[in-house]
Amino acid sequence: MTAKLFRTSMAVAVSVMVLSIALFMGMLYQYFSDQMMTELESETWLVSHGVELDGMDYLNGLHTTSRVTWVAADGTVLYDNEADASTMENHADREEIREALTSETGTAQRFSSTLSEQTLYVTQRLSDGTVIRLASAQKTVGLLLISMIQPILIILVLSLLLSAVLASRLSKGLIKPILSLDLEHPEDCETYDELTPLLSRLKRQNDTIQQQMNLLKQRQTEFAALTDNMSEGFLLLDRQGHVLSHNSGALRLLGVEEPEGEVNVLVLNREEPFRQAVDEALSGKRSQQMLHLNGRYCKLLANPVLADGKPAGAVLVLLDVTEQEQRDELRREFTANVSHELKTPLTSISGIAEIMQSGMVKPEDIQSFAGDIYQEAQRLIALVEDIIRLSRLDEGAESLEREPVNLLSIAQDVARRLDSAAQKAGVTLKVMGLSVEVRGIPSVLDEMVYNLCDNAIKYNHPGGTVNVTVAPTDDGSAEVTVEDTGIGIPVEDQSRVFERFYRVDKSHSKEIGGTGLGLSIVKHGASLHGAQIHMDSQVGRGTSVQLLFPHHE
């Protein structure tokens, strides 16, 4: 804008300068013309009076720079001080001669393109009817301008320099208040009155923009709060696959750092299922893939974003389905284990029944075979009961009512029920500690303590001991510890003994019985009550399992 103002100012200055010079030259030329005409009229009057007095003698003795011509009344040239009068043509048709003959005096101006001069003529009629004419050549405006070219150029150059300086200062001075405008706070600006409507409009626009920005920030904050707290991840892509938006969940599931700048989504993951889903979504097709990311299972849902029926981008949603996959895997494994555990006793019962049906059993052996059938049937019943208990715990036991339960009473009741089994195994079972209450489900707590004590007796040595300790902790919690002097659990198996149907020594477990679900019931019961399980075991020296219940208000 400064340059434009400068050019405009210079153009105005040059135009004014050229017009001024033209006007000055015109006025100067007109002044000289009038001056010359006045002088020529005076000189003509003097010469005409001289001729009136002395005639031709006066003309012969006359010295002047003007051209003097004496013309008869019929137009014949009688005398000319610059040419031979006898050779000159008749002047009767000359404008100034005709005017003098009719009006006593006359004037005329004629331009010579050959000489680029203009000649001024003044005539005076004498008393005898003849006419005296004086002529003087005057330079044209062009010649006058050429003759004054040097001073005009000097004046022009100086004027241009002065105009440039003034135009520069003027343009900068005009633009400075505009450049100093505070567009963020136009109402506080002091500038030209003509800019007041513009500043008022800017103020309204700023207010509108600020409101829109505040609304946008609020929505962006709400959107960020919503998406960042999602366990799911999402990615918004443009048509070329560049990431336009994402949440922290997507980066966490993909196991990547925050990308810097605009990146292609394939930079975040280059696995074939991921690439296939992205390609299909960007081509306008929905896609669903299962990804294995950093030891977790993620379901990828890729949907195209359409604009006027054409793909304009894609939305990727990542769902962490690890727990679902693990549950499905656990369910499949549980089904297989249950099938196997049920099949074993049923096969034994079916085999024994088949032998008895064929009549191959001696009468004295029927009681022994019936005892085997009874034992296998009891094993089936115990297995089914444990499966029912686990199913109830898997469902969260929501239908079971919670109430204050005395853990010491639970432990003492369990010890009475297992007393015969302990005596049979040659194991001493003791309960000690203080009375402590927790809020829980009595039947589930009973099963937890029972299974821990039952395992401690089964996997013990003859003459061994099982100590059950119930005590409050310093922070108001409660703990139940079942400690035995049995065979112990190897370190590599300790993390798995709470899995369903997992047995450290399958052959030994078969000998002592059990369903392989006891510790799994303990784990689920602890989870249901918010309790923690701690195990400490050494092979050949025994095992200690501690249940730590949260503080009960």
Side-chain angles (χ1 to χ4, degrees):
M1 187 173 180
T2 304
K4 188 174 182 180
L5 285 173
F6 177 79
R7 290 194 299 269
T8 303
S9 301
M10 284 297 296
V12 171
V14 170
S15 300
V16 170
M17 194 181 311
V18 171
L19 290 175
S20 299
I21 291 175
L23 181 61
F24 173 74
M25 293 300 296
M27 294 177 64
L28 185 63
Y29 180 78
Q30 186 63 41
Y31 171 77
F32 284 138
S33 295
D34 294 342
Q35 187 69 24
M36 183 176 293
M37 182 64 74
T38 302
E39 293 177 356
L40 195 59
E41 288 177 349
S42 299
E43 187 176 0
T44 301
W45 184 83
L46 291 174
V47 170
S48 62
H49 279 274
V51 172
E52 285 278 5
L53 295 174
D54 296 328
M56 188 63 70
D57 293 335
Y58 176 79
L59 294 174
N60 290 329
L62 181 64
H63 299 282
T64 180
T65 58
S66 300
R67 183 176 181 177
V68 180
T69 306
W70 188 12
V71 181
D74 59 358
T76 301
V77 177
L78 302 177
Y79 171 82
D80 190 280
N81 63 347
E82 293 183 2
D84 186 0
S86 60
T87 61
M88 297 177 66
E89 61 184 7
N90 191 281
H91 282 31
D93 58 344
R94 303 297 172 88
E95 176 184 358
E96 65 277 9
I97 300 298
R98 292 200 307 271
E99 186 177 353
L101 291 175
T102 58
S103 302
E104 190 176 354
T105 61
T107 59
Q109 297 180 7
R110 282 193 290 277
F111 177 75
S112 172
S113 58
T114 303
L115 299 177
S116 296
E117 290 182 346
Q118 182 165 278
T119 304
L120 301 179
Y121 296 95
V122 177
T123 55
Q124 177 74 43
R125 188 182 64 189
L126 303 181
S127 57
D128 58 1
T130 59
V131 176
I132 293 294
R133 185 186 72 177
L134 267 71
S136 178
Q138 180 187 20
K139 292 182 178 180
T140 62
V141 176
L143 291 176
L144 181 63
L145 183 62
I146 291 173
S147 64
M148 298 180 65
I149 190 65
Q150 184 175 359
I152 290 177
L153 286 177
I154 294 174
I155 294 173
L156 185 61
V157 170
L158 294 176
S159 300
L160 286 175
L161 291 175
L162 181 60
S163 298
V165 173
L166 294 177
S168 177
R169 296 186 63 179
L170 177 63
S171 58
K172 291 179 180 178
L174 289 173
I175 205 67
K176 185 177 180 180
I178 299 177
L179 293 177
S180 62
L181 290 177
D182 184 3
L183 299 182
E184 296 293 332
H185 306 89
E187 68 279 4
D188 299 331
C189 296
E190 295 183 3
T191 184
Y192 306 118
D193 294 338
E194 291 79 4
L195 294 179
T196 301
L198 174 62
L199 296 178
S200 300
R201 181 172 295 182
L202 285 175
K203 174 65 168 57
R204 291 194 298 271
Q205 289 182 348
N206 286 347
D207 293 341
T208 302
I209 293 173
Q210 188 61 44
Q211 293 175 359
Q212 294 174 345
M213 289 294 293
N214 292 337
L215 180 60
L216 181 62
K217 288 180 180 179
Q218 180 182 352
R219 292 181 177 177
Q220 186 176 7
T221 302
E222 294 172 352
F223 180 75
L226 177 64
T227 56
D228 287 342
N229 287 285
M230 292 171 53
S231 59
E232 299 82 4
F234 86 92
L235 297 161
L236 179 62
L237 313 180
D238 64 9
R239 186 176 301 175
Q240 287 73 35
H242 295 130
V243 179
L244 299 178
S245 181
H246 64 277
N247 69 340
S248 58
L251 302 180
R252 174 176 49 81
L253 292 175
L254 291 172
V256 296
E257 299 292 333
E258 180 76 26
E260 296 183 1
E262 187 180 76
V263 296
N264 192 281
V265 70
L266 297 181
V267 174
L268 306 180
N269 190 285
R270 297 184 181 275
E271 293 184 7
E272 182 59 29
F274 189 85
R275 297 179 61 180
Q276 181 179 348
V278 172
D279 291 341
E280 290 180 359
L282 292 178
S283 64
K285 301 177 183 177
R286 294 185 177 182
S287 180
Q288 178 175 321
Q289 298 288 340
M290 183 64 70
L291 306 178
H292 188 63
L293 301 171
N294 305 314
R296 303 190 68 83
Y297 294 94
C298 291
K299 181 183 289 186
L300 174 61
L301 304 176
N303 294 311
V305 176
L306 303 178
D308 299 329
K310 297 181 180 180
V315 175
L316 308 183
V317 179
L318 288 165
L319 305 175
D320 189 348
V321 294
T322 303
E323 294 183 2
Q324 179 182 342
E325 288 293 317
Q326 290 176 345
R327 285 196 299 269
D328 291 342
E329 184 178 353
L330 186 61
R331 188 178 296 110
R332 290 190 293 269
E333 182 180 350
F334 179 70
T335 302
N337 289 332
V338 168
S339 300
H340 175 74
E341 295 293 333
L342 290 174
K343 184 178 180 181
T344 301
L346 286 173
T347 302
S348 298
I349 293 173
S350 177
I352 295 172
E354 185 179 0
I355 293 174
M356 294 176 65
Q357 184 183 19
S358 65
M360 297 174 61
V361 181
K362 297 177 182 180
E364 61 270 20
D365 295 330
I366 290 179
Q367 185 176 1
S368 175
F369 277 90
D372 290 340
I373 292 175
Y374 177 78
Q375 184 178 356
E376 294 297 333
Q378 290 299 313
R379 183 180 173 188
L380 277 174
I381 292 173
L383 179 60
V384 170
E385 288 178 348
D386 282 348
I387 292 173
I388 292 173
R389 291 188 186 98
L390 270 179
S391 298
R392 186 174 59 185
L393 293 175
D394 281 341
E395 294 172 359
E398 297 294 340
S399 60
L400 300 178
E401 185 177 353
R402 296 173 184 263
E403 58 184 61
V405 180
N406 191 305
L407 292 177
L408 183 60
S409 298
I410 290 284
Q412 291 171 344
D413 182 61
V414 168
R416 283 192 298 269
R417 284 154 41 204
L418 289 174
D419 184 61
S420 60
Q423 291 180 8
K424 185 178 179 180
V427 175
T428 301
L429 177 60
K430 296 180 181 179
V431 177
M432 60 190 109
L434 301 174
S435 179
V436 180
E437 283 191 350
V438 296
R439 187 171 184 80
I441 305 168
S443 59
V444 176
L445 293 172
D446 182 87
E447 290 172 3
M448 293 168 62
V449 177
Y450 183 92
N451 283 320
L452 288 176
C453 293
D454 186 43
N455 277 355
I457 293 171
K458 288 179 179 178
Y459 296 97
N460 214 319
H461 301 293
T465 60
V466 175
N467 295 322
V468 181
T469 304
V470 179
T473 60
D474 295 337
D475 60 357
S477 303
E479 63 179 10
V480 177
T481 305
V482 178
E483 186 176 7
D484 65 63
T485 58
I487 62 176
I489 303 171
V491 176
E492 61 271 15
D493 294 314
Q494 291 180 15
S495 61
R496 299 195 61 190
V497 292
F498 292 96
E499 296 179 9
R500 300 175 185 186
F501 298 109
Y502 185 81
R503 293 185 176 92
V504 177
D505 187 345
K506 293 182 173 57
S507 60
H508 186 62
S509 298
K510 186 175 183 180
E511 293 175 1
I512 64 176
T515 62
L517 296 174
L519 290 181
S520 184
I521 292 174
V522 174
K523 176 184 176 181
H524 281 69
S527 176
L528 186 63
H529 289 84
Q532 298 179 5
I533 303 176
H534 299 286
M535 174 182 283
D536 183 17
S537 182
Q538 296 182 15
V539 177
R541 300 187 61 179
T543 302
S544 174
V545 179
Q546 182 188 61
L547 297 176
L548 183 62
F549 293 89
H551 177 64
H552 170 62
E553 295 293 343

